[in-house]
Amino acid sequence: QVQVVESGGGLVQPGGSLRLSCAASGSISSINFMGWYRQAPGKQRELVAGITKSGRTNYPDSVEGRFTISRDNAKNTVYLQMNSLKPEDTAVYYCNADITQRNLRRTNYWGQGTQVTVSS
């Protein structure tokens, strides 16, 4: 009844920029925390940006100052603007959303992932 779909990944040169989008749809009453995670080959999935419903954000040191997360509550959408990309940012990026459905059930949803490759 709820879908979370990412878009916007691709291949970019070092120093370049990409913008990821993630839209949630379906039987949604409200969306609480939204976040972007990434997983590189052989590594654990890690949080790269998070945003609360009120707009409070958090980032790890590795992306602070380069990545910006934002959300449009009216569109149930979260964005990740990535600037000054580095080869070590290469990973599959996943959207995560903490969603309360109209039946008041609260569930954590993951998108299918989008590949970001930073290479010359």
Side-chain angles (χ1 to χ4, degrees):
Q1 287 188 328
V2 173
Q3 284 189 315
V4 175
V5 179
E6 303 107 334
S7 61
L11 173 65
V12 63
Q13 292 187 340
S17 297
L18 277 177
R19 189 189 193 211
L20 306 182
S21 299
C22 171
S25 61
S27 181
I28 297 171
S29 175
S30 65
I31 302 179
N32 310 300
F33 179 85
M34 300 185 83
W36 286 96
Y37 292 74
R38 68 186 179 189
Q39 188 166 20
K43 295 188 176 182
Q44 289 188 330
R45 190 172 296 188
E46 61 174 351
L47 176 69
V48 294
I51 186 167
T52 66
K53 189 175 182 179
S54 62
R56 180 172 294 184
T57 60
N58 67 290
Y59 308 92
D61 290 344
S62 58
V63 307
E64 181 78 55
R66 300 189 297 122
F67 290 11
T68 302
I69 189 171
S70 61
R71 64 190 283 174
D72 184 332
N73 291 331
K75 296 181 179 180
N76 291 333
T77 300
V78 63
Y79 306 95
L80 184 67
Q81 177 67 43
M82 303 184 292
N83 299 327
S84 302
L85 283 161
K86 305 175 182 180
E88 51 264 42
D89 294 318
T90 296
V92 178
Y93 284 69
Y94 296 91
C95 174
N96 178 265
D98 177 16
I99 295 174
T100 299
Q101 298 180 55
R102 292 198 183 104
N103 62 7
L104 302 184
R105 181 176 181 180
R106 185 169 178 174
T107 307
N108 195 260
Y109 288 90
W110 290 93
Q112 81 284 358
T114 185
Q115 178 70 45
V116 171
T117 302
V118 185
S119 175
S120 54

